Amino acid sequence: MQIIIRTTIVTAFAVFLARSSAAQTPSYTLISGEIGPGASYEIAMPTTPWNGELVVFAQGIGDPNDPIAPPNPGVLRDTFTSQGFALIYTSRSVNGYGAVKDGMQRTHQLRGIFVATIGQPTRVYLVGRSLGSLIAVMLAESYPGQYDGVLAGCGLLAGGATELAYLADARVLFDYFFPGVIPFGPFDLSPDPVFLPGHPLYEAVLKALVDGFSSPGKPTPQFARAANLQAITPSEIITAGLITVGFTVKQAHDLLEVTHGHMPYDNTLTVYTGSDNDAAMNDGVARYVQEPSAVNYIEHYYTPTGDLHVPVLTLHKVRDPLNPNFHETIYAGRVADAGASAFLLQRTVDGFGHCGFPGAETTAFPELVQWVKTGVKPQN
């Protein structure tokens, strides 16, 4: 195993610090190495005394067409190391939804790599965002003796099947209200999987959503209601539409690859509501039939059980257009059914968007640490 060590001086307020060398945030040392086929890890060790505790960070989903690379924890790396924590994180061997299985395996390896490289930590915390939160909760539920607490942000904690239903429903409804705008089906391979401003497909979807506020029948508000988009203003609705539709353009075919071409989505019995003519909508929307092997894969990677034995603190925006806040409600029900509600604390952050609450994360993490150390659950 090849290990590379380099020192990075982490600075804040770069312009100010260029004028005054007296103010400078602590530095950290990065140790990097390989963890599997195409995957690599990094350990950030504080240059101030290490407090003996380790944070394992799990990143969100990557675009299937993006290169494999370690995540950038950004402000979290600075925050944890400045407080004396060590931090470890890894890329995965694959991007897309296959990163759930691969990400669980790679992330679970990190504790052992840290022990072999640095030493035995006194406590290990999992911190995840988005898909990484699902991985963090999966590890906490599966290996409670190896982890002491979890901070899970903007996670699809109801599981992959619930998230897939939300996103695929949005896509088939978009295709119903805006026929022909996307010239291929929700699970077909896109001829150009890039979905970014300036690219033809993105601009076509954007135009359809914008025009749909004023064109006959006003299809955009109908689409938003029927798809349960987590948005309230026209700007939020357009953004949520672009996010949900774009996700299927970039990710759905990759999902079929990990299920070996078998359909994981079923809307044969789904009754859609919220349009001006629900009967016509339900008659006209495309229908798909799931296949058992694909459903089993999605359930195994992963549907959280709620069987918690360590503290889990979750954060979620009220209007998250990608992983809606209803994931939290569903997961809380499973935790309650498992008799583990004492180990779950859920907090909502006001606003619209997916993740993007670093202040809430950096405030919540010390509370999680105190909860783990004292056994006293923080106030909601």
Side-chain angles (χ1 to χ4, degrees):
M1 179 183 297
Q2 182 182 13
I3 297 177
I4 303 170
I5 301 177
R6 64 186 186 275
T7 299
T8 303
I9 302 298
V10 182
T11 60
F13 309 111
V15 173
F16 174 77
L17 293 180
R19 300 172 183 170
S20 173
S21 61
Q24 182 171 305
T25 56
S27 63
Y28 55 80
T29 298
L30 284 181
I31 305 170
S32 60
E34 297 177 356
I35 194 171
S40 59
Y41 68 86
E42 290 184 343
I43 301 171
M45 290 298 298
T47 55
T48 54
W50 176 40
N51 65 11
E53 300 185 328
L54 173 66
V55 178
V56 178
F57 176 72
Q59 65 175 322
I61 197 169
D63 190 311
N65 298 293
D66 284 348
I68 301 296
N72 180 7
V75 69
L76 292 183
R77 180 170 56 193
D78 305 344
T79 300
F80 295 146
T81 55
S82 69
Q83 295 173 358
F85 293 91
L87 177 67
I88 189 169
Y89 44 91
T90 180
S91 62
R92 295 144 189 170
S93 298
V94 296
N95 284 324
Y97 198 81
V100 177
K101 177 181 179 180
D102 186 76
M104 178 183 177
Q105 295 169 342
R106 304 293 171 210
T107 305
H108 190 47
Q109 287 178 277
L110 292 177
R111 188 179 189 277
I113 289 173
F114 185 86
V115 171
T117 307
I118 303 297
Q120 184 72 44
T122 55
R123 294 184 182 88
V124 182
Y125 304 93
L126 289 158
V127 175
R129 287 178 181 164
S130 195
L131 188 76
S133 288
L134 179 63
I135 290 171
V137 166
M138 178 173 13
L139 291 174
E141 291 181 348
S142 303
Y143 307 99
Q146 297 191 38
Y147 302 100
D148 296 281
V150 179
L151 177 61
C154 47
L156 50 155
L157 300 185
T162 299
E163 179 68 3
L164 173 61
Y166 167 70
L167 293 171
D169 283 347
R171 173 59 194 278
V172 298
L173 288 164
F174 178 89
D175 289 349
Y176 170 75
F177 285 107
F178 305 99
V181 172
I182 302 177
F184 52 87
F187 294 95
D188 294 335
L189 178 63
S190 170
D192 182 7
V194 177
F195 192 81
L196 292 170
H199 286 77
L201 186 58
Y202 180 97
E203 296 299 328
V205 172
L206 173 60
K207 184 178 188 302
L209 290 168
V210 172
D211 292 348
F213 278 102
S214 57
S215 58
K218 297 184 177 180
T220 297
Q222 292 190 67
F223 162 62
R225 292 192 300 269
N228 191 27
L229 295 186
Q230 304 298 291
I232 53 177
T233 68
S235 176
E236 289 181 359
I237 289 171
I238 292 168
T239 300
L242 288 167
I243 287 173
T244 52
V245 170
F247 199 86
T248 63
V249 169
K250 295 185 291 184
Q251 300 281 356
H253 187 266
D254 174 75
L255 177 60
L256 281 185
E257 287 189 357
V258 299
T259 59
H260 304 289
H262 298 162
M263 178 59 61
Y265 168 66
D266 194 301
N267 67 340
T268 54
L269 300 179
T270 302
V271 178
Y272 298 103
T273 61
S275 73
D276 293 345
N277 187 336
D278 287 349
M281 175 174 61
N282 281 286
D283 184 57
V285 73
R287 301 287 178 172
Y288 293 84
V289 180
Q290 66 187 17
E291 296 176 80
S293 62
V295 174
N296 290 339
Y297 181 93
I298 299 299
E299 288 181 352
H300 194 64
Y301 299 107
Y302 178 68
T303 299
T305 65
D307 186 19
L308 296 177
H309 298 271
V310 299
V312 174
L313 197 163
T314 71
L315 299 170
H316 220 118
K317 278 190 175 177
V318 174
R319 298 187 305 284
D320 185 330
L322 183 58
N323 296 339
N325 193 44
F326 59 64
H327 277 278
E328 300 287 345
T329 303
I330 295 171
Y331 187 59
R334 291 180 187 160
V335 173
D337 290 343
S341 296
F343 291 108
L344 179 65
L345 174 60
Q346 296 172 299
R347 289 178 176 167
T348 55
V349 178
D350 192 24
F352 171 81
H354 180 55
C355 299
F357 34 61
E361 284 178 308
T362 54
T363 299
F365 183 72
E367 295 183 87
L368 172 67
V369 171
Q370 284 300 110
W371 184 8
V372 168
K373 291 181 177 179
T374 66
V376 178
K377 188 176 181 179
Q379 296 296 314
N380 201 347

